[in-house]
Amino acid sequence: MHFLSADLEAYITTHSEKEPDLLKELTRETHLKVLMPRMITGHFQGRVLSLIASLVHPNYILEIGTYTGYSALCLAEGLSPKGQLITLDKNDELSGIQKRYFDRSPYGNQITRLTGKALDVIPGIDKIFDLVFIDADKAEYPEYFEMVLPKVRKGGIILLDNVLWSGKVVEPVAQKDSTTQTLIDFNKKLSEDPRVRTVVLPIRDGLTLCMVK
Ligand code: SAH
Ligand code: CA
C-alpha cells in the first residue's frame, strides 16, 4: 500500500540510510523463490525498524512472523553486543532461507528461530523483552498483544505492522472480512489502553509504536 505519491516515496527512500547489500540480496531471492513476496519489509521500513531498534538498544527482542528474515535482520542491527533476538513463524518451509541469511549476517549467533503457531509458542518463551515486533496473522493481533505485554519491561517497545491494512480500516467493512473488523476494534482499543502509550506511524502499511508504561 502506498499512501504517498511514488515520487515522494522515492525521495524519502533516497534520503534515508542505504539498504545493506545482504538485505538487497534477500529481497531478490525472496521475490524469486518464495510465495507472497509482497509481505517482505522494504528498504525504507527496514531502516526505520533498524533505527528504532538502535534507539532501544535491546538485550532481548521478540519477533512474531519471521517470513524470510528481512525484518529480523533489521531489528538485530540494534541489539546490544550480547543481545538476543527470538523470531518465530508457523511456516517451516522458510527455515532454510532464514538460516542461510542469518548465518551470513553478523548476527547469526544472536538470533534464535522458533517454528510453530504464535499462540502456541509465545506462552513457552520465558524472557523479558525490550522490543517486540508483531507481524504475523492480523486476526490474532489482540491475542499476541495480551500475551506479550506481561513479557515486556516497563519502557519497552511493542511495534505492530500493517495496522492500516491497505487503508481498509477507514472504509466500509465487507461483510465477511472479519480481519479488518478485528484490526479496527483493536486499533481503537489500543489507543485507549492505559497500559501503553500509543502512536500510529503512517509508515508503509501502518506501524503502531507502543511504549509500555
Ligand atoms: N516480518 C516479515 C514478514 C512477515 S509476513 C518481514 O517483514 O520481512 C507474516 C508471516 O507470519 C508469514 O511468514 C507467516 O507464515 C507468519 N504467520 C502467519 N500466521 C502465523 C501464526 N499464527 N503463527 C506464526 N506465524 C504466523
Ligand atoms: Ca508486515
Side-chain angles (χ1 to χ4, degrees):
M1 177 74 193
H2 297 275
F3 297 112
L4 296 170
S5 70
D7 283 351
L8 268 177
E9 290 238 352
Y11 183 88
I12 287 165
T13 304
T14 310
H15 293 80
S16 300
E17 196 173 40
K18 279 206 188 69
E19 185 179 35
D21 286 343
L22 186 70
L23 295 179
K24 282 188 194 163
E25 204 180 313
L26 174 56
T27 300
R28 269 197 302 275
E29 187 168 341
T30 301
H31 278 87
L32 283 173
K33 299 188 185 162
V34 185
L35 286 176
M36 292 194 279
R38 65 180 203 90
M39 297 206 298
I40 196 172
T41 289
H43 171 176
F44 172 66
Q45 187 177 1
R47 293 304 86 205
V48 173
L49 293 177
S50 171
L51 256 183
I52 292 174
S54 299
L55 289 169
V56 179
H57 203 49
N59 291 319
Y60 287 102
I61 302 177
L62 174 65
E63 178 181 65
I64 306 172
T66 319
Y67 191 51
T68 54
Y70 189 106
S71 49
L73 286 170
C74 296
L75 295 166
E77 291 175 34
L79 279 172
S80 71
K82 288 193 173 158
Q84 292 287 323
L85 182 149
I86 298 174
T87 182
L88 69 91
D89 203 289
K90 68 175 182 186
N91 183 355
D92 64 2
E93 290 174 11
L94 299 165
S95 298
I97 186 166
Q98 292 165 359
K99 184 171 184 324
R100 265 191 296 118
Y101 279 86
F102 292 167
D103 285 348
R104 286 177 60 193
S105 80
Y107 316 106
N109 56 10
Q110 290 177 282
I111 301 177
T112 304
R113 294 178 302 105
L114 300 176
T115 302
K117 287 191 181 161
L119 298 181
D120 300 335
V121 176
I122 297 167
I125 304 176
D126 192 17
K127 292 269 186 302
I128 295 297
F129 293 97
D130 308 290
L131 176 62
V132 177
F133 180 52
I134 297 179
D135 196 20
D137 183 354
K138 313 309 159 196
E140 292 183 349
Y141 272 25
E143 286 94 333
Y144 300 158
F145 184 79
E146 289 305 323
M147 273 187 175
V148 298
L149 189 60
K151 298 182 194 282
V152 180
R153 71 161 163 87
K154 201 172 167 207
I157 298 292
I158 303 175
L159 297 167
L160 303 108
D161 197 26
N162 308 99
V163 296
L164 299 179
W165 210 221
S166 306
K168 286 188 206 159
V169 291
V170 292
E171 289 163 11
V173 182
Q175 220 172 24
K176 286 188 181 147
D177 185 358
S178 62
T179 301
T180 298
Q181 193 57 51
T182 299
L183 275 176
I184 289 171
D185 296 343
F186 177 63
N187 287 338
K188 178 164 191 300
K189 195 163 156 269
L190 210 50
S191 69
E192 296 163 351
D193 192 326
R195 301 170 296 175
V196 282
R197 299 182 57 191
T198 299
V199 287
V200 179
L201 303 174
I203 289 171
R204 213 163 72 151
D205 195 22
L207 180 69
T208 293
L209 171 68
C210 295
M211 179 182 275
V212 178
K213 285 195 203 166

